[in-house]
Amino acid sequence: MLQYFALLLDSPVLIAAIFAIGIGGTFQYGFCISVMTSASPFIKTMVNETFLQRYNVSLEEWQRSLIWSFAVSIFCIGGLLGSLSASLLTVKFGRKRCVLCNNFLAILGAVLMILSQRVTSFEMIMVGRFLYGLNAGLSLSIQPLYILECTPKRLRGMVGVTVATFVSFGKFSGQLLGIRELLGTPEGWPWLLGFNGFTAFIQLFTLPFLPESPKFLLLNRGDRQACEKALRRLWGSKDHSAAVEEMLEEKASLQDIRSHSVMELFRDRTVRWQLITIVVTFILLQLSGINAVYFYSFDVLRAAGIQEEQLRHSALGIGLCELTASLACFMIVENAGKKALLFRGYAGMAVILLFLTITLYLESRVSWMPYCSLVLIFLFISLFSCGPGGVTSPLPGELFMQSYKSAAYFIACTINWAGLFLVGMVFPIMVEKMDYFCFLVFLVFCAGCASFVWFNVPETKNQTVLEIAAEFRKMHSKSEEKSRKEHKEQKVNIVNLYETKF
């Protein structure tokens, strides 16, 4: 592990790139997810005040909740649209320029949020949330693409985890700033919702000093001189000819091949298993049960004797647990490998969900059982952040060649946003009908993903895209050949049985 840290510390510009791209990137996504919980009572109050001022009508609780829910979910609609446009924009304008322009969406959204209370307009919050969604959708697609293309092969696993680390950091920051002692007040909540504009300004003033993605400069622009200059700035003044040769080897394999569309990616049988891996891992990232565990964490804290007014402070411990586990994943991923972290993460989460269902069932019967549930919640969040949550996001950038990357991120981010929206819609119904037994459904998904990863995904540690593609072919050509042999033997047995009978 120390050798990887030493290698990273030798590249201070790369470290600066990680922080600059992260603080205005997936940090925004994580912050937007967690911040609405603290602001929800103030937004509902303002919605009622707006209707009183305009129409002299006081809304019922369910009407206020419906408008608030739409303000929350419109973020996912914006995120989906941002993901859909990211593929075209990154190919046409480049990674760095797209990220820089993306900050103006967050700044405009922040201005609307800050002014919403002054003009008593909940519609401004909805428009702001939509703009935040566009910003987050673009960031989730572009950040891993840019940072992985700026990173040496030996550090891609470690640096790729920072995408999820900044999501966790954003969630924790939203929880922390949302407490009553800081911005979770009737006067401070517009500034809480507008905090995204501040982090966008940080990125806007730091990213221009960093180079464009070397891989984009060479493979998309055909500018070898600019590529080598960017590599020297990012990785130091050592000889980087081997890295350039690897890129040129990929370029040679893509000679006269343009960037592929999503439909072309679906039709290409040579990358079928890479595509299946992306679809399965991103779908099951949303179906892992992480939202259910967060939902029940407040009930468990109440059962453990935490007072209602202290719940938000106690929940900060859960957010800090996620952030700490994500940092741990950053430190161990290069030694452990992504396949191992995915498999162990999902397998461990499946086991914990089984025990958590049991402890929640026994809470009313055994006085100390809530503490067991609390420990299991911390373990589940740690396994999620140190496994699937940490290593899934950068997978499209590692599994696909340059011509397919944009389409792969398009599919991955579309699945992520659609899954987030559907889980938000379906999960409350599941809780109402099944209560904590809904964990058994998520258990099946976690166990299924662990099995899929074990049997169908090769290790990607310290390997180029072409080497990973060769590993996929080797793994699945054997299984396909075996299935063909079994099918042939089955046919021979049927023929022999038929001849014996007649």
Side-chain angles (χ1 to χ4, degrees):
M1 184 176 73
L2 292 176
Q3 60 179 339
Y4 297 112
F5 272 109
L7 190 60
L8 184 61
L9 291 173
D10 284 340
S11 310
V13 178
L14 178 60
I15 296 172
I18 292 168
F19 279 96
I21 195 74
I23 199 67
T26 51
F27 175 92
Q28 309 278 47
Y29 171 75
F31 190 88
C32 286
I33 286 176
S34 67
V35 76
M36 289 299 278
T37 305
S38 301
S40 64
F42 308 115
I43 294 172
K44 289 177 183 177
T45 301
M46 194 185 78
V47 168
N48 200 47
E49 289 173 358
T50 304
F51 273 83
L52 277 171
Q53 284 184 14
R54 292 180 189 172
Y55 314 111
N56 199 28
V57 172
S58 180
L59 298 178
E60 295 180 23
E61 178 60 32
W62 71 269
Q63 292 172 316
R64 293 197 294 269
S65 297
L66 184 65
I67 294 172
W68 176 80
S69 298
F70 183 73
V72 172
S73 60
I74 201 171
F75 174 74
C76 296
I77 297 170
L80 182 57
L81 291 176
S83 297
L84 296 179
S85 57
S87 174
L88 176 65
L89 294 174
T90 51
V91 172
K92 189 173 183 180
F93 300 108
R95 285 61 162 136
K96 179 182 168 182
R97 192 181 298 176
C98 285
V99 172
L100 283 170
C101 294
N102 190 30
N103 288 300
F104 292 106
L105 292 172
I107 292 168
L108 180 57
V111 171
L112 292 173
M113 293 293 191
I114 293 167
L115 295 177
S116 61
Q117 187 185 39
R118 184 168 296 178
V119 299
T120 321
S121 172
F122 65 86
E123 294 90 347
M124 291 174 71
I125 295 176
M126 291 181 178
V127 176
R129 284 284 291 177
F130 178 75
L131 292 172
Y132 280 170
L134 284 173
N135 170 269
L138 286 163
S139 296
L140 278 173
S141 300
I142 302 170
Q143 180 182 339
L145 194 60
Y146 173 82
I147 203 63
L148 287 175
E149 290 179 355
C150 290
T151 305
K153 180 174 68 174
R154 293 183 66 195
L155 292 176
R156 277 176 199 156
M158 177 184 283
V159 173
V161 170
T162 61
V163 175
T165 302
F166 276 99
V167 174
S168 301
F169 183 39
K171 287 181 183 178
F172 177 70
S173 299
Q175 291 172 329
L176 180 62
L177 291 174
I179 62 175
R180 290 194 187 98
E181 290 79 1
L182 295 174
L183 295 176
T185 63
E187 301 79 26
W189 69 266
W191 294 96
L192 174 65
L193 295 182
F195 186 77
N196 295 68
F198 173 70
T199 54
F201 268 116
I202 293 175
Q203 187 181 80
L204 196 60
F205 287 110
T206 54
L207 199 62
F209 297 101
L210 299 168
E212 176 58 276
S213 153
K215 204 166 189 179
F216 174 81
L217 291 170
L218 183 64
L219 300 190
N220 292 75
R221 294 273 171 85
D223 192 341
R224 177 166 181 165
Q225 187 177 358
C227 169
E228 290 175 346
K229 183 180 176 181
L231 286 174
R232 284 193 296 273
R233 283 192 65 196
L234 287 164
W235 303 355
S237 56
K238 298 174 186 175
D239 181 25
H240 304 301
S241 56
V244 175
E245 288 304 317
E246 282 180 5
M247 293 183 204
L248 289 172
E249 186 182 341
E250 184 178 339
K251 185 178 182 181
S253 68
L254 299 173
Q255 197 67 34
D256 300 322
I257 297 178
R258 56 182 172 76
S259 290
H260 291 290
S261 67
V262 173
M263 288 308 298
E264 287 171 326
L265 176 54
F266 274 108
R267 288 173 188 152
D268 192 341
R269 294 177 64 84
T270 61
V271 290
R272 180 181 60 182
W273 279 102
Q274 289 93 316
L275 178 60
I276 292 171
T277 300
I278 294 302
V279 171
V280 170
T281 52
F282 273 83
I283 287 176
L284 292 175
L285 189 66
Q286 294 296 338
L287 299 177
S288 61
I290 187 68
N291 296 316
V293 169
Y294 266 110
F295 179 85
Y296 273 97
S297 62
F298 281 90
D299 288 340
V300 170
L301 288 168
R302 287 190 192 97
I306 305 296
Q307 297 299 314
E308 197 70 30
E309 61 272 11
Q310 298 297 321
L311 278 177
R312 297 226 177 274
H313 297 79
S314 302
L316 280 175
I318 295 173
L320 186 60
C321 171
E322 182 177 352
L323 178 59
T324 306
S326 186
L327 290 170
C329 183
F330 170 78
M331 291 186 284
I332 67 172
V333 64
E334 290 296 350
N335 285 327
K338 290 197 171 182
K339 177 176 180 175
L341 288 176
L342 276 172
F343 172 74
R344 291 170 190 169
Y346 276 117
M349 286 157 63
V351 173
I352 287 173
L353 286 175
L354 176 61
F355 283 108
L356 188 57
T357 306
I358 295 169
T359 57
L360 288 171
Y361 176 75
L362 295 174
E363 267 186 7
S364 58
R365 296 167 174 79
V366 183
S367 60
W368 47 266
M369 200 56 71
Y371 300 101
C372 295
S373 299
L374 196 57
V375 170
L376 289 170
I377 285 172
F378 276 97
L379 284 173
F380 183 91
I381 291 171
S382 298
L383 282 170
F384 174 82
S385 301
C386 201
V391 303
T392 301
S393 298
L395 276 179
E398 294 186 359
L399 300 186
F400 289 93
M401 292 187 292
Q402 194 77 0
S403 60
Y404 279 124
K405 279 186 181 179
S406 295
Y409 272 111
F410 171 89
I411 293 168
C413 291
T414 301
I415 291 170
N416 182 71
W417 286 106
L420 189 65
F421 181 77
L422 288 173
V423 167
M425 297 293 289
V426 174
F427 176 65
I429 301 170
M430 285 182 65
V431 172
E432 186 181 338
K433 300 294 182 184
M434 301 177 67
D435 203 9
Y436 47 78
F437 288 107
C438 68
F439 286 129
L440 297 177
V441 177
F442 298 121
L443 183 157
V444 173
F445 287 125
C446 288
C449 195
S451 301
F452 175 83
V453 169
W454 181 258
F455 291 108
N456 296 293
V457 181
E459 182 52 71
T460 63
K461 183 173 65 175
N462 296 333
Q463 296 195 74
T464 64
V465 175
L466 295 175
E467 289 168 344
I468 293 168
E471 287 294 319
F472 267 106
R473 283 195 299 273
K474 190 195 301 182
M475 176 178 280
H476 294 290
S477 61
K478 287 179 181 178
S479 61
E480 286 171 9
E481 187 179 343
K482 184 180 176 183
S483 65
R484 278 198 298 271
K485 280 183 180 179
E486 288 175 353
H487 183 64
K488 191 176 179 181
E489 287 173 5
Q490 213 172 24
K491 282 178 74 177
V492 169
N493 289 337
I494 291 169
V495 170
N496 290 339
L497 184 65
Y498 180 81
E499 287 175 350
T500 305
K501 251 183 153 183
F502 298 98

